[in-house]
Amino acid sequence: MPTTESPAVPAVPVEAVKAVRRFNRFFTRQAGVLEPYLGGALPLTEVRVLYELAHRDALVATDLARELGLDGGYLSRILKRFETEGWIVRSPSPRDARQSLLTLTEAGHAAFAPLQQKSREEAAALLAPLPPREREQVVEAMGRIERLLDPAAPRAPTRTVVLRDPKPGDMGWVVQQHGELYAREYGWNSEFEALVAEIVAQYLRKFQPEWEKGWIAELDGERVGAIFVVRKSATTAQLRLLLLTPAARGLGLGSRLTDECIAFARAKGYRKMVLWTNSCLTAARAIYAKRGFELEKTEAYEGFGQQLVGETWSLKL
């Protein structure tokens, strides 16, 4: 007789399995899961049950067991202990008389509150040593892992990206964003904002539309990025003021803006494109290197309130 077989599960490479296990070991160590959880007497599972009871209304034990993947008997013992401690009360469920609604008491909230605060403090301590951009990357990566591994997780909405010509008001925004972002992420002072303002003013006053161009990037109708090509000589174009706000990072917009500049310069017959940046701007440098820009010159200097290393890069067109 024919038999019904389950669909074959695709084979997973051994190295991928090792990578997942290695990450699990790393993160359980970083999160302190192998130690007394949050420095308290409760194990991780019981704290997780308390969390659900503190943040959800009208929970019944069967729903809680299913959502947390817990054995019913094990959860029953946990709830019985919580009742003994005076942390929960039960009331009849209006949907099913055989079920009881679980409600956290004031004593239960009082027991959970310091655990929640300790959890927040430990998460903050984990991220605190990282610069702002690296924190964003960690959070983005965690969200991506969650979405990929959990079919029920909400999917990121489709984003609308537009690259358009600058219009009145955009250049002031470019100056403002450079000043704010570089102060926040790198500690640069107002000298840098003044430099950007000078570059922008020169671009506006001496703009040559047949040889120069700028782009403003919009994400869902909001300005999130910019880049410009200016004429340095008859044969050389200069890339200037690549900018992305945190909301636009990780979407490939920096690469797309840079590609627009290169394509424009080639179409205009430039033979070379140059740019000046700083060694600390690792994301931008990676974009340039991937497109064939080569580092020509480095120079240490003191500027914008920091000790920096300036870099000159060039690309043959």
Side-chain angles (χ1 to χ4, degrees):
M1 295 179 63
T3 58
T4 302
E5 297 182 357
S6 300
V9 177
V12 178
V14 173
E15 290 305 314
V17 173
K18 289 182 178 178
V20 171
R21 297 182 65 199
R22 182 170 60 248
F23 178 81
N24 287 343
R25 292 193 297 271
F26 163 79
F27 197 74
T28 52
R29 184 173 65 251
Q30 290 292 107
V33 174
L34 302 181
E35 303 168 0
Y37 191 64
L38 300 176
L42 295 181
L44 172 60
T45 303
E46 294 189 11
V47 174
R48 187 72 175 86
V49 172
L50 267 181
Y51 177 91
E52 292 299 325
L53 292 170
H55 291 87
R56 304 267 300 277
D57 294 324
L59 266 178
V60 297
T62 52
D63 291 342
L64 190 57
R66 182 181 65 255
E67 292 179 18
L68 295 182
L70 295 178
D71 173 74
Y74 179 35
L75 177 60
S76 179
R77 291 191 293 274
I78 292 175
L79 295 176
K80 186 174 182 179
R81 180 191 166 189
F82 286 1
E83 280 188 284
T84 302
E85 297 285 349
W87 293 349
I88 64 171
V89 292
R90 299 175 187 260
S91 59
S93 170
R95 293 185 305 165
D96 186 344
R98 297 169 298 178
Q99 299 269 18
S100 296
L101 299 180
L102 306 171
T103 304
L104 210 60
T105 64
E106 288 188 13
H109 281 288
F112 176 67
L115 296 173
Q116 176 159 263
Q117 182 58 34
K118 179 67 172 176
S119 178
R120 289 170 177 163
E121 291 171 356
E122 290 194 355
L126 191 66
L127 296 173
L130 301 176
R133 177 54 187 151
E134 292 183 7
R135 291 179 204 167
E136 293 166 10
Q137 290 173 330
V138 169
V139 173
E140 290 167 1
M142 287 177 169
R144 182 170 175 77
I145 289 172
E146 184 178 359
R147 289 191 299 272
L148 290 174
L149 294 183
D150 182 3
R155 298 293 169 179
T158 302
R159 316 300 301 273
T160 301
V161 176
V162 174
L163 302 187
R164 60 167 175 81
D165 293 339
K167 57 187 180 184
D170 286 334
M171 303 306 278
W173 176 85
V174 169
V175 175
Q176 176 196 14
Q177 289 298 310
H178 273 85
E180 290 180 358
L181 287 174
Y182 282 81
R184 183 167 65 244
E185 298 186 3
Y186 299 100
W188 293 9
N189 62 22
S190 58
E191 295 174 13
F192 178 66
E193 188 171 358
L195 173 63
V196 175
E198 291 169 0
I199 294 170
V200 164
Q202 184 176 9
Y203 176 84
L204 290 172
R205 291 190 182 117
K206 300 182 178 180
F207 181 55
Q208 304 176 63
E210 67 276 19
W211 298 109
E212 300 177 330
K213 188 170 175 60
W215 292 262
I216 299 295
E218 289 186 350
L219 179 63
D220 298 334
E222 297 292 331
R223 291 176 297 203
V224 294
I227 200 168
F228 300 87
V229 176
V230 299
R231 184 177 176 87
K232 189 172 180 67
S233 72
T235 59
T236 303
Q238 185 172 5
L239 184 152
R240 309 212 78 169
L241 302 180
L242 171 61
L243 170 76
L244 284 180
T245 66
R249 295 170 184 170
L251 302 176
L253 261 178
S255 298
R256 185 172 167 185
L257 287 167
T258 304
D259 289 340
E260 291 286 347
C261 286
I262 295 171
F264 175 84
R266 284 179 173 149
K268 293 298 180 180
Y270 288 112
R271 299 176 187 172
K272 182 180 181 181
M273 175 170 276
V274 298
L275 64 90
W276 182 81
T277 188
N278 282 270
S279 61
C280 59
L281 306 182
T282 53
R285 293 171 78 255
I287 291 173
Y288 304 144
K290 190 172 181 180
R291 276 144 188 81
F293 280 89
E294 295 182 353
L295 179 59
E296 285 190 347
K297 179 183 177 183
T298 63
E299 182 179 3
Y301 71 101
E302 182 176 350
F304 318 134
Q306 304 290 329
Q307 295 295 325
L308 300 168
V309 178
E311 298 180 342
T312 300
W313 293 62
S314 70
L315 172 68
K316 292 181 179 180
L317 298 173

